[in-house]
Amino acid sequence: MKVRVDVSADLLHWAVDRAGWDPETTARRAPYFNEWKAGTKQPTLKQLQDFASATHAPFGMLFLTEPPIEEVPIPDMRTIGNKAVPRPSADLLDTIYLCQARQDWYREYTAENRIPPPELVSSASTRTPPKDVAGRLRDELGFNLSERSSSSNWETAFRQLIDRIEELGVLVMINGVVGANNFRTLNPEEFRGFALTDTRAPLIFINGADTKAAQIFTIIHELAHVCLGMSALSDATMAGQVGNDHERWCNEVAAEVLLPLESLRKDFKGAITISELERLAKLYRVSTLVVTKRIFDAGFLAWDEYQETYRAEHARVIGLLAAGRARTSGGNFYYTQPIRLSHTFAKSVVASTLEGSTTYREAYRLLGIKKHSTFENLAEELEVA
């Protein structure tokens, strides 16, 4: 005999909204949804379990009397039109929770292995001139223009930047999906990155579904949050006038690290065309949106002109990003997984496991893998004996 359960229509709506399903997706993945919602039919226990799994909703929460209020577990600095962003998606929340779990493990690992805390954490405040912090970061990261220009492309420059940030003691995780689930793509329009600041194990997460050039800006923006000693969920946007002092300061630091105004004033040819934006973007290894913002900062654009130019360029970039996703394959797992996890973190977990300090079961959970052969291949890729 099938067991049927009574579920509130509000809870059903909550699960669907949380998963980001549109009506077409809902009809395809939960054919009886409208009947459940109307109360003309009740889901079986198995159907409700499948529905919870598909929407990534905790099964037990579907039996509540009203939808829970889920808040982002770190300060949320994102704004849309100077208003707080609506309910966070399940993909965003699960990504933060996963990173927090990994950070907890790494914090203990650094303490047990007496790894010195990074000096970068809380090394500045919003009263510190952004230009001063930017100059120090460029020097410490070895990310001056001459060094960037020597990279063959944005991706190479970005990989070098990641390695240098990790050398300073900050974990960098870059992923375009939730964990290792390639069916749960992260939305760069919802968030571009976040920082989990900690005295021993600061962590930066970058939305890998965003463009490479945009990721470069975001990673420096989040690094600025680490310098301030604060965790934050950011959209790292330059579209409008940021109201939050911390976000404004981090944007200014990131922009000055990547495209110093003094250099831009010398290199800008005066015509705001796509070809000029792309020339400068290639020269500085940044996105054309960063270039657009810095042209405004340099006084070459009035506010209304900047807003119009930025909106048009943003729409063009989003179109290119969508086309790029359609052509992109999953790539080599053993090459991409250390980037998703942080090379430092992955190598630490593997080493700790091989020496017997961490169980294989725990290692598989932390690394997002299921098979021992995958673990061995990953260890080989990371050159951990």
Side-chain angles (χ1 to χ4, degrees):
M1 180 178 177
K2 293 181 177 179
V3 178
R4 295 189 178 274
V5 290
D6 185 24
V7 184
S8 162
D10 289 342
L11 266 299
L12 293 170
H13 270 300
W14 166 79
V16 165
D17 290 345
R18 188 175 183 272
W21 286 4
D22 56 23
E24 182 181 347
T25 303
T26 304
R28 175 169 51 82
R29 303 199 64 178
Y32 300 109
F33 180 80
N34 287 333
E35 294 173 77
W36 297 346
K37 184 181 66 173
T40 57
K41 190 172 186 176
Q42 292 180 324
T44 65
L45 189 62
K46 177 65 166 61
Q47 286 174 330
L48 192 61
Q49 288 173 331
D50 291 343
F51 176 74
S53 177
T55 56
H56 311 292
F59 180 63
M61 286 190 176
L62 294 177
F63 293 93
L64 297 174
T65 55
E66 59 184 29
I69 298 175
E70 292 185 292
E71 297 182 349
V72 176
I74 57 177
D76 190 350
M77 303 295 182
R78 301 169 302 154
T79 57
I80 297 177
N82 292 325
K83 295 181 179 179
V85 175
R87 174 191 297 147
S89 71
D91 293 341
L92 169 57
L93 291 172
D94 287 349
T95 297
I96 295 176
Y97 298 147
L98 182 58
C99 286
Q100 287 179 324
R102 289 170 172 164
Q103 182 185 49
D104 289 343
W105 180 91
Y106 188 71
R107 183 188 303 110
E108 292 184 13
Y109 176 83
T110 61
E112 290 170 0
N113 289 272
R114 298 182 180 179
I115 297 173
E119 297 179 1
L120 205 63
V121 180
S122 300
S123 59
S125 73
T126 52
R127 293 188 299 275
T128 310
K131 188 174 180 179
D132 293 351
V133 177
R136 177 163 58 86
L137 287 178
R138 273 199 306 270
D139 292 340
E140 291 188 13
L141 295 171
F143 206 61
N144 292 307
L145 178 57
S146 59
E147 291 164 302
R148 272 181 266 168
S149 299
S150 64
S151 302
S152 58
N153 52 44
W154 284 347
E155 185 168 357
T156 302
F158 193 36
R159 287 298 300 271
Q160 292 173 346
L161 179 60
I162 294 167
D163 290 343
R164 288 166 182 173
I165 291 175
E166 293 218 319
E167 287 171 4
L168 294 178
V170 181
L171 299 180
V172 179
M173 300 182 181
I174 302 173
N175 203 345
V177 299
V178 180
N181 189 338
N182 291 326
F183 295 100
R184 297 182 67 183
T185 303
L186 299 175
N187 181 6
E189 291 298 292
E190 180 180 22
F191 81 105
R192 290 182 167 81
F194 56 80
L196 301 179
T197 302
D198 182 89
T199 55
R200 296 202 66 92
L203 184 155
I204 290 172
F205 180 89
I206 304 299
N207 189 338
D210 212 346
T211 64
K212 282 289 183 294
Q215 289 175 44
I216 290 178
F217 181 85
T218 303
I219 200 171
I220 301 296
H221 176 99
E222 302 306 340
L223 188 62
H225 274 296
V226 173
C227 291
L228 289 177
M230 65 178 296
S231 298
L233 172 64
S234 312
D235 53 13
T237 182
M238 295 160 288
Q241 293 175 315
V242 180
N244 183 285
D245 289 343
H246 297 96
E247 284 297 277
R248 187 187 307 112
W249 187 88
C250 291
N251 274 349
E252 290 176 6
V253 170
E256 187 64 24
V257 167
L258 297 170
L259 212 173
L261 286 183
E262 185 177 339
S263 298
L264 175 66
R265 290 190 174 106
K266 294 177 183 177
D267 292 328
F268 180 48
K269 294 183 177 180
I272 303 174
T273 62
I274 291 176
S275 61
E276 176 64 358
L277 293 178
E278 290 182 337
R279 183 187 72 83
L280 291 170
K282 184 177 181 181
L283 175 64
Y284 288 95
R285 302 294 189 230
V286 296
S287 73
T288 52
L289 296 176
V290 171
V291 173
T292 305
K293 176 61 165 61
R294 295 306 269 168
I295 289 174
F296 166 72
D297 291 339
F300 296 121
L301 273 176
W303 173 249
D304 290 343
E305 293 176 298
Y306 165 62
Q307 287 286 84
E308 183 178 349
T309 303
Y310 189 96
R311 279 194 294 267
E313 184 58 18
H314 181 265
R316 189 180 76 90
V317 169
I318 291 299
L320 293 173
L321 179 59
R325 282 202 199 106
R327 294 191 300 268
T328 302
S329 63
N332 184 313
F333 173 84
Y334 300 106
Y335 176 79
T336 59
Q337 194 65 357
I339 301 173
R340 287 178 169 185
L341 293 168
S342 152
H343 190 275
T344 300
F345 174 80
K347 198 166 185 175
S348 299
V349 172
V350 171
S352 177
T353 304
L354 292 177
E355 69 183 18
S357 299
T358 298
T359 66
Y360 278 96
R361 182 176 182 179
E362 175 73 353
Y364 296 168
R365 183 183 69 83
L366 290 168
L367 298 173
I369 60 178
K370 297 179 180 179
K371 298 179 180 179
H372 185 68
S373 59
T374 307
F375 177 89
E376 290 181 326
N377 290 334
L378 187 59
E380 184 178 348
E381 175 68 26
L382 293 167
E383 298 181 346
V384 179

